[in-house]
């Protein structure tokens, strides 16, 4: 079993409507490529699974925390890994005043406009 398969099963069991809405948001934003979408959904799944709750309960802090962990443990660091946060923000999870992206600043990941 792959990580993607396990994450897909987890999404179908825990909060299928929330994850389906993120997938719809991905398509509505004009993105293409199922691999990018799957990678973003896997990251949101990690957060929901480890923190509990639903997609709507994910915070900017959760995204920053995950992105920092990814940067520490993957050789390719932060490059191209912020789509999950953009999808959550576009879906309205963080509210109207939320940062629209994560950025690397001074060796750490921060929320930014």
């Amino acid at each position: 079993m792959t990580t993607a398969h396990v994450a897909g099963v987890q999404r179908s069991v825990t909060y299928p409507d929330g994850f389906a809405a993120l997938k719809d948001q991905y398509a509505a934003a004009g993105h293409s490529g199922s691999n990018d979408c799957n990678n973003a959904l896997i990251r949101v799944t990690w957060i929901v699974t480890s923190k509990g709750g639903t997609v709507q309960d994910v915070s900017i802090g959760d995204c920053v925390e995950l992105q920092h962990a990814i940067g520490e443990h993957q050789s390719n660091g932060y490059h191209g890994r912020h789509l999950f946060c953009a999808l959550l923000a576009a879906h309205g999870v963080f509210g109207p005043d939320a940062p629209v992206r994560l950025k690397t600043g001074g060796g750490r990941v921060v929320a930014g406009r």
Side-chain angles (χ1 to χ4, degrees), residues 15 18-19 22 40-66 84-89 91-95 98 102:
Y15 190 58
F19 287 104
L22 289 180
L41 292 176
I42 286 170
R43 283 164 175 75
V44 177
T45 304
W46 288 341
I47 293 170
V48 171
T49 301
S50 67
K51 303 280 184 164
T54 68
V55 168
Q56 292 298 126
D57 297 321
V58 175
S59 72
I60 283 287
D62 295 334
C63 293
V64 170
E65 182 180 2
L66 176 60
F84 75 102
C85 187
L87 287 176
L88 289 165
H91 187 58
V93 171
F94 306 135
L102 295 178

Side-chain angles (χ1 to χ4, degrees), residues 70-111:
I70 289 170
E72 285 184 339
H73 299 288
Q74 288 188 350
S75 61
N76 61 356
Y78 305 114
H79 179 69
R81 303 294 186 201
H82 303 158
L83 179 60
F84 75 102
C85 187
L87 287 176
L88 289 165
H91 187 58
V93 171
F94 306 135
D97 298 325
V100 294
R101 64 187 175 99
L102 295 178
K103 61 183 179 178
T104 304
R108 59 192 175 99
V109 181
V110 295

